[in-house]
Amino acid sequence: MLNVNTLRCEQVKRETERMTASLTLIDGYLVAGFGSSKGKNGSIEYSLVDEIEFFHEDAKWMSCTSELKENSYLHISGDKDYIYATSNQNETGYSTVSKICLANGQIMPCWKIKGHGWRVASDREDFAVAGHYESIFYQRNKDQLFLH
């Protein structure tokens, strides 16, 4: 990562077996989606951003847990109360849209989409996902799902 205070690139986390597929800053945390095309070792991890020293190579990373095992989490979007993530497609050809709760470290699957879930965008509880074969838009207050 580029430390904008010192203009130096600094290592945040080292991964040797997985790719870092998504990074975002949410409510003082750096939230990352990891995974690989082989094996069910996808994870969502987060670390508190130290505002004084910006990033530490030895920062403490916490992992979210889920009942589902994913190969990779491809994208993360949200704010402090509503965070969503998408995964790559599984053996059946579907990916998972999940809600992430950093407060209790949980990944809660909430929808499936055909193909890889390339991007997710959200506004509080509403979300849109651009997938490989289809896209969805969900509005919670109207309990409506639009599939394209």
Side-chain angles (χ1 to χ4, degrees):
M1 294 290 261
L2 176 65
N3 182 329
V4 294
N5 295 323
T6 64
L7 297 179
R8 290 183 44 205
C9 285
E10 298 179 14
Q11 183 172 318
V12 176
K13 183 171 176 36
R14 175 172 286 167
E15 288 290 328
T16 58
E17 303 292 321
R18 308 179 302 171
M19 69 177 170
T20 304
S22 184
L23 288 172
T24 191
L25 288 169
I26 298 175
D27 197 32
Y29 288 93
L30 180 62
V31 183
F34 297 101
S36 69
S37 60
K38 299 175 182 162
K40 300 278 187 185
N41 63 351
S43 70
I44 293 178
E45 300 176 22
Y46 57 101
S47 180
L48 188 59
V49 175
D50 183 356
E51 295 178 358
I52 297 170
E53 298 183 41
F54 204 63
F55 292 107
H56 296 268
E57 184 177 336
D58 60 349
K60 181 181 176 188
W61 286 83
M62 294 149 287
S63 294
C64 295
T65 59
S66 176
E67 293 177 10
L68 289 179
K69 298 294 180 199
E70 301 287 355
N71 289 357
S72 184
Y73 288 96
L74 299 178
H75 195 240
I76 301 168
S77 175
D79 58 39
K80 72 176 190 170
D81 295 320
Y82 302 94
I83 305 169
Y84 294 94
T86 58
S87 71
N88 67 318
Q89 70 183 27
N90 61 19
E91 322 57 61
T92 65
Y94 286 86
S95 62
T96 305
V97 180
S98 300
K99 186 174 179 181
I100 310 304
C101 180
L102 297 182
N104 63 14
Q106 293 290 312
I107 302 171
M108 298 155 289
C110 57
W111 204 259
K112 293 219 176 269
I113 187 169
K114 189 173 182 181
H116 297 302
W118 293 120
R119 293 289 178 264
V120 60
S122 61
D123 180 20
R124 301 200 46 81
E125 292 185 86
D126 301 340
F127 62 87
V129 178
H132 192 84
Y133 298 108
E134 63 187 14
S135 297
I136 59 172
F137 175 62
Y138 178 74
Q139 289 182 297
R140 172 112 173 130
N141 64 342
K142 296 180 182 176
D143 200 27
Q144 293 180 329
L145 176 76
F146 299 96
L147 180 65
H148 179 264

